[in-house]
């Protein structure tokens, strides 16, 4: 049966698709004195997977553009600038930092548009910016452009536009999970959206490491960079096409009690202030920022220490980290959906990450002596991803629980902006502490010590100060506690609370 939710409605009586949160809503008295029954059976629709796919492939494509040049710093430097960095910021680092800088300053706009204009509009804007940015980066790689200044300018301009897409896809997961998915699928929907990011990181490190294996430095007429960016252009075009098939911003009937009861009457600025002034949410902001920034800044910084100790691994440690983190995130999402143990998962992850980074720091004290050392480094990098990537989606879901009824894109957007701000700052902290040359002959050791110390701060915060209240679950449990008297199927109406979205 067709519906206006963008897909075929699943049979209501099938246990596999009927949300078990069938609740009796409060009865309202109509104007004529007759009691109007507003009972509703919450339903889910197949179109939710298309909406989720748009967000996933957008995140994957954008992450690949962000990280793709990190393992090619020398090659990128010579092709786009034509001369060594010689102490200045190299091209690949500038490109990486553009993504973090832009995410901070465009995040508020993405939050506002997503919560007030809806998922469909946000998806179209995000995929459009992503594909336009990828196109400009591809043009910057054409060998016919002889001026290195023009090449680098176009590269950074394209990166700026592509980075603006983050304002949408980084806040979409929690919005999609709340509006389209039932309560027992929200965490896994968030996880699928967020693990697309490390999957893109894996592709963005493995592909260039293989593609540029025999690349000759300093060849300004090579078509290798054009071929690489053309492939990223095709990948960016795919979610844009998918977004065109999303036919509505909301399903006709809400999937859960919290989705139906959610209102957008707090106000955008007040919602942000309400999040920031919430002590528990502020603690979650700090934990999320540490998890996000410490992992990826460490994986970018780690290339130098590994080479210094005799390891030649290109971008493979980052790829291993991303792949293992993707798998553990799926597991964490499944556990969170079944047990609602959000804070417990985050506590385990912060402790595990801190132990992993400290172990890696001490292991790198001695140079490489054989193949076994490389295997141990890969295992430790896998542990870093296993414990640091799951807090992204689980942290966003916990943030929505803590700040409910603040709209999902707003609460998750605040988390992401704070994380991006840390991700922008931490690489400079690592570079600065390395330049101090304190305590060690190899200056990078002190920079890793600082990273270990910050990871210990996150452990203390999670174990002793993280005590959130699950406000959204409280609402849903309260509605479930009401008797399931007269379940009547009703579609979403124009006066529904959630229609404000």
């Amino acid at each position: 049966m067709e519906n206006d939710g963008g897909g075929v409605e699943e049979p209501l009586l099938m246990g596999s698709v009927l949300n078990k949160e069938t609740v009796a809503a409060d009865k309202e008295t109509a104007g004529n004195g007759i009691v109007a029954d507003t009972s509703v059976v919450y339903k889910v629709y197949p179109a939710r997977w298309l909406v989720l796919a748009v967000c996933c492939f957008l995140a994957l494509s954008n992450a690949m553009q962000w990280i793709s040049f990190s393992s090619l710093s020398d090659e990128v430097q010579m092709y786009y600038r034509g001369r060594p960095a010689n102490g200045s910021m190299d091209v690949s680092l500038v490109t990486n930092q553009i993504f973090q800088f832009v995410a901070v300053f465009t995040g508020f706009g993405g939050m506002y548009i997503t919560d007030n204009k809806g998922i469909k509009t946000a998806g179209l804007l995000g995929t459009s910016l992503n594909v336009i940015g990828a196109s400009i980066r591809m043009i910057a790689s054409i060998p016919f452009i002889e001026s290195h200044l023009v090449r680098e300018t176009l590269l950074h301009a394209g990166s700026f536009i592509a980075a603006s897409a983050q304002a949408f896809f980084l806040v979409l997961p929690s919005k999609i999970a709340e509006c389209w998915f039932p309560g027992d699928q929200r965490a896994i929907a968030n996880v699928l959206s967020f693990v697309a990011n490390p999957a893109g990181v894996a592709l963005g490190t493995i592909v260039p490491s293989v593609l540029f294996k025999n690349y000759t430095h300093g060849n300004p007429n090579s078509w290798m960079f054009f071929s690489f960016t053309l492939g990223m252009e095709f990948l960016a075009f795919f979610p844009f096409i998918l977004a065109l098939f999303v036919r509505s911003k909301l399903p006709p009937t809400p999937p859960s009690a919290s989705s139906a009861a959610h209102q957008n009457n707090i106000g955008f600025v007040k919602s942000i202030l309400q999040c920031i002034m919430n002590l528990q949410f502020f603690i979650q902001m700090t934990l999320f920022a540490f998890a996000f920034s410490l992992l990826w800044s460490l994986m970018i910084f780690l290339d130098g220490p590994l080479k210094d100790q005799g390891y030649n691994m290109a971008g493979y440690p980052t790829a291993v980290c991303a792949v293992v983190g993707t798998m553990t995130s799926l597991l964490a999402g499944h556990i969170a959906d079944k047990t609602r143990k959000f804070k417990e998962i985050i506590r385990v992850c912060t402790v595990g990450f801190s132990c992993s980074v400290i172990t890696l720091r001490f292991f790198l004290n001695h140079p490489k002596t054989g193949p076994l050392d490389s295997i141990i480094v890969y295992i430790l990098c896998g542990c870093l991803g296993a414990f640091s990537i799951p807090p992204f989606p689980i942290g966003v879901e916990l943030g929505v629980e803590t700040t409910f009824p603040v709209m999902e894109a707003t609460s998750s957007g605040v988390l992401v902006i704070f994380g991006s701000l840390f991700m922008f700052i931490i690489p400079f902290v690592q570079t600065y502490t390395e330049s101090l040359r304190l305590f060690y002959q190899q200056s990078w050791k002190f920079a890793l010590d600082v990273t270990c110390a910050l990871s210990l701060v996150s452990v203390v915060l999670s174990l002793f100060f993280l005590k959130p209240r699950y406000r959204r679950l409280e609402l849903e449990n309260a509605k479930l506690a009401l008797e399931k008297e007269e379940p009547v199927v009703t579609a979403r109406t124009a006066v529904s609370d959630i229609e404000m979205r």
Side-chain angles (χ1 to χ4, degrees):
M1 181 170 59
E2 285 290 325
N3 60 72
D4 59 351
V8 180
E9 180 175 335
E10 300 182 26
L12 179 60
L13 299 180
M14 293 296 290
S16 60
V17 297
L18 177 61
N19 185 357
K20 295 181 180 179
E21 294 174 351
T22 304
V23 300
D26 295 333
K27 294 184 177 181
E28 300 176 351
T29 303
N32 57 6
I34 300 175
V35 176
D37 187 11
T38 59
S39 300
V40 60
V41 174
Y42 303 110
K43 294 178 290 185
V44 293
Y45 300 85
R48 69 190 187 279
W49 299 111
L50 172 62
V51 178
L52 186 64
V54 171
C55 184
C56 289
F57 283 105
L58 173 58
L60 186 147
S61 168
N62 197 265
M64 188 173 182
Q65 293 189 68
W66 162 52
I67 204 73
S68 57
F69 290 160
S70 294
S71 59
L72 301 172
S73 56
D74 294 336
E75 294 86 344
V76 170
Q77 181 70 24
M78 296 306 298
Y79 188 80
Y80 290 97
R81 189 175 291 178
R83 64 181 187 276
N86 292 329
S88 62
M89 287 185 65
D90 60 58
V91 176
S92 61
L93 180 58
V94 172
T95 303
N96 288 339
Q97 292 299 83
I98 284 174
F99 275 80
Q100 311 313 320
F101 177 81
V102 172
V104 173
F105 288 97
T106 61
F108 293 102
M111 290 157 52
Y112 181 83
I113 292 173
T114 303
D115 270 337
N116 290 275
K117 301 301 180 182
I119 294 170
K120 180 179 179 180
T121 301
L124 282 171
L125 286 173
T127 53
S128 298
L129 289 168
N130 188 53
V131 75
I132 292 171
S135 299
I136 296 175
R137 284 164 58 103
M138 178 188 68
I139 293 172
S141 305
I142 297 176
F144 295 151
I145 300 176
E146 297 182 357
S147 171
H148 287 97
L149 177 61
V150 173
R151 285 186 185 181
E152 185 176 356
T153 302
L154 285 173
L155 173 66
H156 294 326
S159 297
F160 187 94
I161 295 173
S164 301
Q166 296 176 104
F168 299 100
F169 75 79
L170 288 176
V171 301
L172 273 173
S174 59
K175 187 77 172 179
I176 294 172
E178 175 67 24
C179 294
W180 284 89
F181 285 81
D184 59 354
Q185 293 181 1
R186 282 195 298 250
I188 196 65
N190 257 315
V191 166
L192 288 173
S193 299
F194 272 94
V195 298
N197 191 275
V201 170
L203 280 176
T205 51
I206 293 175
V207 173
S209 297
V210 173
L211 192 61
F212 287 82
K213 190 174 183 179
N214 298 317
Y215 176 77
T216 302
H217 286 30
N219 182 3
N221 298 316
S222 172
W223 286 88
M224 187 67 74
F225 274 99
F226 177 80
S227 301
F228 182 40
T229 53
L230 178 63
M232 287 192 285
E233 161 72 10
F234 283 132
L235 185 60
F237 197 65
F238 183 65
F240 174 75
I241 296 297
L242 288 180
L244 298 177
F245 289 92
V246 177
R247 291 163 49 189
S248 72
K249 62 180 181 180
L250 291 171
T253 303
S256 67
S258 62
S259 180
H262 215 166
Q263 301 182 35
N264 191 21
N265 57 4
I266 301 177
F268 181 64
V269 176
K270 188 176 179 180
S271 295
I272 295 175
L273 293 176
Q274 187 171 317
C275 289
I276 296 174
M277 298 303 291
N278 185 322
L279 178 59
Q280 279 300 309
F281 186 76
F282 188 82
I283 292 172
Q284 293 168 40
M285 285 169 56
T286 307
L287 290 171
F288 183 93
F290 276 141
F292 181 75
S293 60
L294 290 181
L295 175 66
W296 297 126
S297 61
L298 175 62
M299 298 314 297
I300 294 172
F301 177 80
L302 202 58
D303 185 58
L306 288 175
K307 287 181 178 178
D308 195 37
Q309 296 298 74
Y311 297 91
N312 184 19
M313 295 180 165
Y316 292 110
T318 303
V320 170
C321 169
V323 171
V324 175
T326 298
M327 293 187 291
T328 56
S329 294
L330 293 172
L331 177 61
H334 178 74
I335 294 173
D337 271 333
K338 300 302 179 184
T339 66
R340 300 294 196 262
K341 301 288 187 181
F342 300 112
K343 68 176 182 291
E344 289 80 5
I345 293 174
I346 290 178
R347 285 171 176 170
V348 170
C349 288
T350 54
V351 173
F353 176 78
S354 184
C355 292
S356 300
V357 71
I358 291 172
T359 303
L360 179 62
R361 163 66 185 87
F362 281 107
F363 184 77
L364 288 179
N365 273 333
H366 66 86
K368 178 184 177 183
T369 57
L372 182 60
D373 289 345
S374 297
I375 295 174
I376 294 175
V377 169
Y378 280 126
I379 292 174
L380 290 174
C381 289
C383 290
L384 292 175
F387 290 115
S388 190
I389 293 178
F392 302 168
I394 303 301
V396 166
E397 190 72 4
L398 180 59
V400 174
E401 293 285 350
T402 304
T403 59
F404 187 85
V406 171
M407 301 301 281
E408 306 81 21
T410 301
S411 59
S412 60
V414 172
L415 286 173
V416 169
I417 289 173
F418 204 62
S420 297
L421 180 62
F422 268 52
M423 183 62 195
F424 181 76
I425 294 172
I426 293 295
F428 289 112
V429 173
Q430 290 173 330
T431 303
Y432 175 73
T433 52
E434 184 180 19
S435 67
L436 293 177
R437 302 186 179 277
L438 297 176
F439 307 118
Y440 308 102
Q441 185 176 1
Q442 294 168 303
S443 55
W444 52 262
K445 290 185 177 180
F446 182 62
L448 289 184
D449 288 344
V450 172
T451 303
C452 294
L454 293 175
S455 73
L456 289 173
V457 172
S458 67
V459 170
V460 173
L461 286 175
S462 67
L463 292 182
F464 300 106
F465 297 97
L466 182 63
K467 300 175 182 178
R469 177 182 170 188
Y470 299 165
R471 298 175 182 270
R472 182 172 60 179
L473 282 176
E474 288 176 4
L475 169 70
E476 295 181 343
N477 290 335
K479 290 208 169 192
L480 284 171
L482 299 173
E483 83 306 334
K484 300 178 182 180
E485 287 179 344
E486 303 169 6
V488 178
V489 179
T490 60
R492 194 190 303 277
T493 66
V495 295
S496 170
D497 290 334
I498 199 172
E499 188 63 19
M500 290 293 292
R501 302 188 195 185

